[in-house]
Amino acid sequence: MKTSQKFFHQLLMMYRPFENRLNVHLAEHQLYRAQWSILYYLAQNGTATLVELSHYMSVEKPTITRTISRLEELGYVEHVPGKDKREKRMQLSEAGNKVYQDVRVTIDQYEQEILEGITEQQQIETIQIMEEIQHNIYKVRGN
C-alpha cells in the first residue's frame, strides 16, 4: 500500500470513532457536533453570517439555518444588527457563552485523553499538514 493510501485510510479510520465518542460527550450537554462546531466558531470569531458558517462547515446554507434555529430556540445564539438588513449575523448569547465554557471543559478532557503520548510539537506539525491538505482540497475543487 502506498504511503498516501495508508495516510488517508488511517484518517478515515480515526474520524468515525472520534466523532462518535465526541457526540457521546456532547450529548451530556444536549448538543450535537454540528451545533458544537457553530458554538466553537462563534466563540473564536465573535460573530458570523449564515453564509460564513456554511463555508466554514462545508455544508449548504439550509443546513446551517436549521442548526442555527435550534441554537436560537435553546437561547445559545442571537442576532446582531448588521450593515445589511438581509444579512443574518449571529453571535453567542450569554447562555451560549456559558454552555460553551461548560462543554469546553468536557471536550478539553476528551482531547487530552486521546492525545496522550503525542507531543505538542507533533500536534503542531500535524495541524500544519492538515491545513495544507485542506488548502489543496479547496484548490482542487476550485473554491
Side-chain angles (χ1 to χ4, degrees):
M1 183 183 293
K2 292 184 348 186
T3 303
S4 60
Q5 292 171 348
K6 188 169 184 172
F7 178 90
F8 287 105
H9 176 74
Q10 213 42 56
L11 179 65
L12 291 172
M13 295 306 295
M14 178 185 66
Y15 175 75
R16 291 297 298 163
F18 168 78
E19 187 171 50
N20 289 342
R21 191 73 188 136
L22 178 66
N23 277 323
V24 168
H25 289 297
L26 291 172
E28 297 169 15
H29 301 274
Q30 290 77 49
L31 290 172
Y32 296 100
R33 190 204 47 82
Q35 295 167 327
W36 171 247
S37 294
I38 290 172
L39 294 179
Y40 175 85
Y41 185 90
L42 293 175
Q44 301 306 308
N45 296 288
T47 68
T49 65
L50 300 185
V51 171
E52 289 167 347
L53 289 168
S54 72
H55 287 237
Y56 168 70
M57 294 180 62
S58 297
V59 298
E60 298 298 320
K61 191 174 168 241
T63 303
I64 292 297
T65 300
R66 283 190 299 276
T67 306
I68 282 289
S69 293
R70 180 64 182 135
L71 290 171
E72 282 182 293
E73 288 170 17
L74 293 167
Y76 296 162
V77 298
E78 59 193 11
H79 292 270
V80 178
K83 301 172 200 145
D84 184 340
K85 291 187 192 280
R86 295 169 295 172
E87 179 181 79
K88 192 171 186 179
R89 186 160 283 283
M90 306 301 294
Q91 71 180 9
L92 289 179
S93 65
E94 190 174 318
N97 273 308
K98 170 139 182 31
V99 80
Y100 174 81
Q101 294 304 322
D102 291 346
V103 177
R104 185 77 260 169
V105 170
T106 301
I107 300 307
D108 285 348
Q109 182 179 359
Y110 171 55
E111 290 173 349
Q112 286 307 305
E113 288 171 5
I114 64 176
L115 286 172
E116 185 178 333
I118 300 170
T119 68
E120 185 172 359
Q121 184 59 40
Q122 289 172 315
Q123 292 174 47
I124 290 167
E125 290 169 7
T126 303
I127 291 166
Q128 291 169 340
I129 291 166
M130 289 187 296
E131 286 173 343
E132 187 64 29
I133 291 169
Q134 184 177 22
H135 171 77
N136 290 341
I137 289 169
Y138 287 128
K139 203 165 56 174
V140 167
R141 72 174 212 202
N143 290 338

